[in-house]
Amino acid sequence: MSLFKKLFSSQKKETLDKGLEKSKTSFLGKLSKAVAGKSKVDDDVLDDLEEVLVASDVGVETTLKIIKAIEARVAKDKYVGTDELNEILREEIARLLSETNSGDATEFEIPKGKKPYVIMVVGVNGVGKTTTIGKLAYQFKQKGLKVVLGAGDTFRAAAIDQLQIWADRVDIPIVKQQMGSDPASVAFDTLSSAVTQDADVVIIDTAGRLHNKINLMNELSKVSRVMQKVVPETPHDVLLVLDGSTGQNAFEQAKQFTKATNVTSLAVTKLDGTAKGGVVIGISDQFKIPVKYIGVGEGIEDLQVFNKYEFVDSFFSKN
Ligand SMILES: Nc1nc2c(ncn2[C@@H]2O[C@H](COP(=O)(O)OP(=O)(O)OP(=O)(O)O)[C@@H](O)[C@H]2O)c(=O)[nH]1
Ligand SMILES: [Mg+2]
């Protein structure tokens, strides 16, 4: 199938395979229990498959679409063996995701002439914002881009310290103020400094503790407004970070945040430590916003550009 012909580096594949191992083992285990003793994909098997997909955090709506596609296929083929189920799932889910509106994600392209390019990173606490910022900054720096970080999560001192640690690790400048200071003011300083330094990219960390939607919306739009005083049309991107290990919670957060603010891309983290990786399939199907990155470990290189086909390929291949 041509979709799977897209070559990707064997190192990336290895990290992805390893990162998805728990999700995959759990999925395949449930699936083989569901089809035990059955050779043919019949209504019973489809019912069980539905349960397995939901239990794997794919989400109800996306699961129903998948089941419908497999039903149609079984109706056409008459005899579909359970041993083919994995391959069929892989094909049908890849097809489904290629039809959804989120498009094919590519990494952040930093356009020439938009200097500095500003990415604001949002998400609730603990999802992996700061870590993702560090990994992203590292990727940009590897490409020869000049990056400045802004410590806009002023809610607690440790948040600023953690971003500082990443700035040191990547060896790039950071702009920060004291804990409790106004995030919009930090963002303003960061952009001003980036302009002075002729930086290519600015990444702004934010606090995710504003559980009330209105507060969150007000806070983030204030940060944006103040940044626009320095660079018009900023932020160029709003990256929402979701913790994949929380499964359906991540899904809910995506719903809330996309309602509250103009999210332009998604990152799903911590896929390595969880069996809930199926949530990425549901998220890419249900949201029009592309999943751009996935986190598959705590290390500096453990952030991958998300590719639907590679993901599905890795998730459903037996080995
Ligand atoms: N295994 C694994 N751990 C991750 C990944 N991404 C982040 N983490 C870990 O998740 C924890 C929280 O990450 P942070 O980056 O501090 O999250 P945050 O959203 O900035 O959190 P707050 O600043 O408290 O709001 C840290 O221990 C990270 O090392 C990932 O892809 N895989
Ligand atoms: Mg943080």
Side-chain angles (χ1 to χ4, degrees):
M1 214 182 153
S2 66
L3 292 177
F4 295 113
K5 277 197 189 138
K6 290 188 171 184
L7 289 175
F8 57 110
S9 88
S10 62
Q11 197 204 339
K12 185 182 176 192
K13 184 173 172 4
E14 219 171 273
T15 314
L16 182 63
D17 286 346
K18 224 171 123 226
L20 292 182
E21 208 168 273
K22 281 199 182 150
S23 298
K24 189 166 151 164
T25 310
S26 155
F27 175 80
L28 293 177
K30 288 187 191 118
L31 187 66
S32 66
K33 254 190 219 146
V35 302
K38 303 220 171 195
S39 57
K40 191 179 167 216
V41 177
D42 56 16
D43 285 351
D44 278 352
V45 169
L46 284 174
D47 278 351
D48 289 343
L49 175 64
E50 187 176 319
E51 262 177 50
V52 172
L53 287 167
V54 172
S56 304
D57 279 279
V58 171
V60 174
E61 277 178 61
T62 304
T63 294
L64 292 178
K65 283 198 213 169
I66 296 167
I67 295 295
K68 222 172 130 194
I70 303 215
E71 248 167 7
R73 190 147 168 177
V74 171
K76 212 167 56 193
D77 279 357
K78 295 291 180 231
Y79 188 94
V80 176
T82 51
D83 53 340
E84 297 164 63
L85 202 48
N86 229 40
E87 185 56 32
I88 290 173
L89 272 169
R90 184 160 82 153
E91 284 173 19
E92 293 304 328
I93 293 175
R95 196 194 313 275
L96 177 72
L97 294 186
S98 73
E99 284 164 2
T100 51
N101 303 321
S102 57
D104 285 329
T106 49
E107 60 198 310
F108 283 121
E109 302 281 352
I110 308 304
K112 291 199 170 65
K114 259 190 196 168
K115 223 177 171 183
Y117 192 81
V118 180
I119 301 166
M120 181 162 79
V121 178
V122 302
V124 306
N125 50 316
V127 290
K129 291 184 298 296
T130 305
T131 308
T132 303
I133 291 171
K135 293 167 173 176
L136 256 182
Y138 171 74
Q139 291 188 7
F140 287 137
K141 197 184 174 200
Q142 295 285 93
K143 286 187 181 153
L145 296 167
K146 205 165 169 187
V147 192
V148 178
L149 301 183
D153 181 354
T154 59
F155 209 84
R156 56 188 183 101
I160 303 169
D161 296 343
Q162 274 154 6
L163 195 69
Q164 177 74 62
I165 291 169
W166 275 102
D168 292 343
R169 198 174 285 166
V170 182
D171 192 22
I172 49 169
I174 175 173
V175 175
K176 58 183 185 181
Q177 291 178 12
Q178 278 165 345
M179 177 193 142
S181 56
D182 183 356
S185 157
V186 177
F188 183 90
D189 283 0
T190 311
L191 263 64
S192 308
S193 164
V195 169
T196 312
Q197 297 179 55
D198 198 29
D200 300 292
V201 190
V202 169
I203 313 177
I204 305 281
D205 197 3
T206 64
R209 281 166 194 76
L210 302 154
H211 283 300
N212 171 327
K213 200 174 113 189
I214 303 289
N215 283 347
L216 177 73
M217 205 152 47
N218 290 343
E219 174 90 10
L220 294 178
S221 63
K222 182 182 171 197
V223 171
S224 298
R225 249 187 351 263
V226 171
M227 288 197 295
Q228 284 157 13
K229 291 184 185 165
V230 190
V231 182
E233 288 170 35
T234 46
H236 300 100
D237 264 298
V238 178
L239 175 68
L240 171 63
V241 180
L242 301 165
D243 177 348
S245 71
T246 63
Q248 291 309 294
N249 246 338
F251 208 93
E252 276 309 307
Q253 283 167 22
K255 267 193 204 157
Q256 295 301 323
F257 267 85
T258 50
K259 269 185 219 155
T261 175
N262 184 28
V263 176
T264 56
S265 42
L266 305 172
V268 185
T269 63
K270 307 191 201 178
L271 292 177
D272 51 305
T274 181
K276 296 175 184 288
V279 72
V280 179
I281 294 170
I283 288 174
S284 3
D285 175 47
Q286 299 284 310
F287 292 93
K288 292 193 174 74
I289 302 155
V291 176
K292 263 191 192 295
Y293 293 94
I294 50 174
V296 288
E298 291 186 280
I300 198 164
E301 295 193 343
D302 295 330
L303 184 75
Q304 295 200 343
V305 174
F306 174 70
N307 176 297
K308 294 171 184 176
Y309 309 113
E310 290 170 3
F311 187 89
V312 173
D313 197 29
S314 173
F315 200 100
F316 292 100
S317 58
K318 279 185 197 161
N319 47 36

